[in-house]
Each structure stands twice: as structure tokens, then as C-alpha cells.
Amino acid sequence: MRKFIIISSLFTCLYGKVRVVSSTSDIADIVKVIGGENVTVTSIARGNQDPHYVEILPSYMVKVRKADIYFMVGMELDLWAQQIINGSRNQKVMVVDCSVEINKMEVPTGQIDASMGDIHQFGNPHYWLDPENGKLIAKVVTEKLSNYDPKNADQYKINLYQFEKDLDSAMSKWNNKFSILKDKKIIFYHNSWPYFSKKFGLITVGFLEPKPGITPSPSQLNQVINQIKENEIEVIASESYFSDRAPKFIESKTNVRIVKLAQSVGAIKGANSYINLFETNLLILAEAYGVMYD
């Protein structure tokens, strides 16, 4: 390990910034905050793209070929990343799974098969949608950047401290400003939101998808309409990349309000950073439940 650190230090001295590639825009934004001027970072998946399904392009392999560190989401969300890494033929790139410290939700028990839809055997992989998990991602990023580039380790730690401080301050504000969301019933299009819902007190009644990753059928939409009427659901929330067709059909049959949320940084207007991702989503939801802010 010592030999690796020395070689890495010499490399960064000669070539400047640590070159980072991440699977998603959320991780990329956290890397930017922690790395500051000492890193360059690019994300493979765009913020408005479904991170489960990414077309593998030669240009992605070129990016990874030049990278020093690759940060993965893990938990089988970005299985495509390994194909890109292998195709890059960069044997020196440090591959990091950012999920290692996460307290994972919805870990399935028993046998898993294709009939269950898009089920992940290690649990629900959308863990970045809890800001507390953002801190855990940031700690992993800080550790790996410091290992690779020890001469700037102190600065990475300072940046981590400031990121945690800013996130704590934001969470304190959110807990007060958006307390209206606690115990509000909601239906989501896809099961991307258990970490978010738990953090902010939303009650998930159901999903438009009958199973994760399965397009809703007419019979499923009728079931959702009945759920809305029986449970007095006010809001359906959808990720930015899903079609409006099914939500709009349900809206035409009920009084439910349809909103688009940012599942990742850059998915919709306003969600231009990791912290603003939450600010934007919480504001959209609060207004959907009838609370208007200046």
C-alpha cells in the first residue's frame, strides 16, 4: 500500500489533478465538493437518465482509460459500470463501491427470480436519496482521494468537514420548513424513494409499476385509482425520465396531483447540486400538498 501511495503521489505531482469518473451525477457532485480544485470529475449517467440502464459507449471507456479513480453506486444499480471499466483496459484505475458503509434498506429474503421484476439482492440501491447517506458517501470519497493523493489529504478532510456542516445546517432547516410532509401518503412511479421517504416521514402507499421495472398495465392503473380513492392520496411522484402517460391518465380519473422529482443531481431545474436536490424535491412536494412558499 505504501508503494502504491508513493507512486500515486508522484503521478499527481507530474500530471496535476486526480482524474475521477463516477457512475452518477450525485456521486460526481460530492466528489467535486470534497476534491475541490485538486480533482476533475465526470459522470457516466446524466442526472435525467435512468441509472439502471445505461448504453455502453466507446467514449465512456475512453474516459475511464484516463481515470485514476472510479466511484460506483454499487448494490447492482450500475452493473454496466464494470463493463465500461473492463473495456477501458485501465488496470491501474482504483474502483470504489460507495455503498460499503450504507445501512441498506429492503434487502430481500429468500430466492430471487426474474418474475419479481428489478429486484436487487443487496437491497434498494437508491441510498443517496437520504442526506445522511450523502455524508457516508463523502467519507468514502475523502478516504479514497486521500489515499491516492496524500499531499492534499488535509484539504480533503477540511472540505469533508464543511460539506457535513452545510448538510447538517440544511437538514435542520428542512426538518422545520417541511414538517408538513410527515405522515403524508404518497404513490411513487418506481421504488426509488424508500430512503427519502423514511428520512422525511412520507408514507408510501404504492407504486405505478406493478413490480420494479415493469411498465404499468391498464389493470394496474385501475388498482392505483382505487388505492387513491380508498386512501385519499393527494400526490403521485415520478422520476424525471418516466413518461407522463400513465400518471396523466390517473390524474384524469381522480383529484390526485402529479409531480416530477429529481432522482439525481441535474434531473430537473433547481437540482443542480447534491444539497439543492433535496431542497428542490421537498419544495415540490410541499407545494403539491398545498403549502406555498415565496
Side-chain angles (χ1 to χ4, degrees), residues 3-20 38 40 64-69 90 92-93 148-152:
K3 182 178 180 181
F4 173 77
I5 291 174
I6 292 172
I7 292 172
S8 301
S9 299
L10 290 173
F11 187 86
T12 50
C13 286
L14 289 171
Y15 297 99
K17 299 183 179 183
V18 182
R19 294 173 294 191
V20 175
N38 296 311
T40 61
V64 178
R65 189 175 302 147
K66 299 175 182 178
D68 303 310
I69 307 175
N90 181 355
K92 296 181 180 179
V93 66
Y148 189 88
D149 181 25
K151 74 179 189 302
N152 288 310

Side-chain angles (χ1 to χ4, degrees), residues 220-237:
Q220 170 66 9
L221 296 184
N222 285 330
Q223 289 181 32
V224 171
I225 290 170
N226 290 333
Q227 278 185 315
I228 290 169
K229 293 177 178 179
E230 291 171 3
N231 294 280
E232 299 182 342
I233 305 300
E234 299 178 67
V235 177
I236 290 178

